[in-house]
Amino acid sequence: MTPSCRPRRGREEVLAAATALFHERGHDATSMSDIADRLGVTKAALYRHVRGRAEVLREVTGPVRARLRSLPAVSAAGGGRSPVTELAELLDALARAAAADPVRHAVFWGVGGPPSPDAADAECRASVAGRLVRLLTRAADRGETRCDLDPSITARLLMGAVVGTAVGTVVGTATGAEGEVPAAGGSPSVVDILLDGLLRPGR
């Protein structure tokens, strides 16, 4: 390996170790010393690749933010598509994203612990919640879903249930076959079950 390849490889090793530790212990309980110990290097060697824990966390959760930015767009109010259909698509895409990269999503969303405290991560989570709130509000206004539920609370419950099930199934903390995407196949899926509880009787 040429010397020029080593810094990049070293950074990737740091991020891999940090990802595992953040998932196992939580971000707040993981120090730079812990990451150095996991890699078998000194803290001085660690700082040749990263500036500190905040930078490490942002790099660890960066792929999650990128994936969430590519989730299906929510059409403007008054569009021709059913908001329930859009809601199902958005939740299914969220489940697929979480199942495809479960450990990073666990760190980002806080599955089994507090969510990532990074400001960009918090903004991204709020953006996803906002999309769900808009769809839930439109669906209730059109009489497609129950109108006795607070859209903001419902949106956060839906995110937690979908992400938690997808992450838990893949990493072995929920019932299901390893590697299964709960909302992507089989009947009923977790998204189907959740939406069934929201739909108005008779729909």
Side-chain angles (χ1 to χ4, degrees), residues 126-139:
S127 175
V128 175
R131 295 189 194 189
L132 292 172
V133 168
R134 290 193 294 276
L135 288 172
L136 289 164
T137 300
R138 284 175 49 206

Side-chain angles (χ1 to χ4, degrees), residues 26 54 72 84 91 95 107 115 160 197:
V84 169
L91 291 173
V107 174

Side-chain angles (χ1 to χ4, degrees), residues 49-69:
H49 303 290
V50 293
R51 289 189 292 260
R53 195 174 58 163
E55 178 186 305
V56 172
L57 177 61
R58 179 164 286 211
E59 289 293 316
V60 165
T61 57
V64 176
R65 294 193 303 274
R67 183 73 181 265
L68 293 179
R69 283 194 291 267

Side-chain angles (χ1 to χ4, degrees), residues 2-126:
T2 62
S4 61
C5 294
R6 180 61 198 174
R8 178 61 185 170
R9 183 186 170 206
R11 184 178 178 84
E12 290 172 351
E13 291 170 346
V14 170
L15 295 178
T19 300
L21 285 167
F22 290 162
H23 179 236
E24 294 166 13
R25 306 179 183 181
H27 170 264
D28 291 342
T30 300
S31 67
M32 293 295 281
S33 294
D34 293 329
I35 299 171
D37 289 344
R38 176 63 62 94
L39 291 168
V41 300
T42 64
K43 283 181 66 176
L46 199 62
Y47 282 109
R48 285 200 287 268
H49 303 290
V50 293
R51 289 189 292 260
R53 195 174 58 163
E55 178 186 305
V56 172
L57 177 61
R58 179 164 286 211
E59 289 293 316
V60 165
T61 57
V64 176
R65 294 193 303 274
R67 183 73 181 265
L68 293 179
R69 283 194 291 267
S70 70
L71 291 177
V74 173
S75 62
R81 301 188 68 207
S82 163
V84 169
T85 299
E86 290 191 56
L87 183 63
E89 291 176 354
L90 181 57
L91 291 173
D92 184 70
L94 182 59
R96 288 175 179 271
D101 199 355
V103 175
R104 281 194 176 89
H105 274 266
V107 174
F108 177 90
W109 292 102
V111 178
S116 162
D118 181 79
D121 291 347
E123 182 179 354
C124 188
R125 288 191 297 268

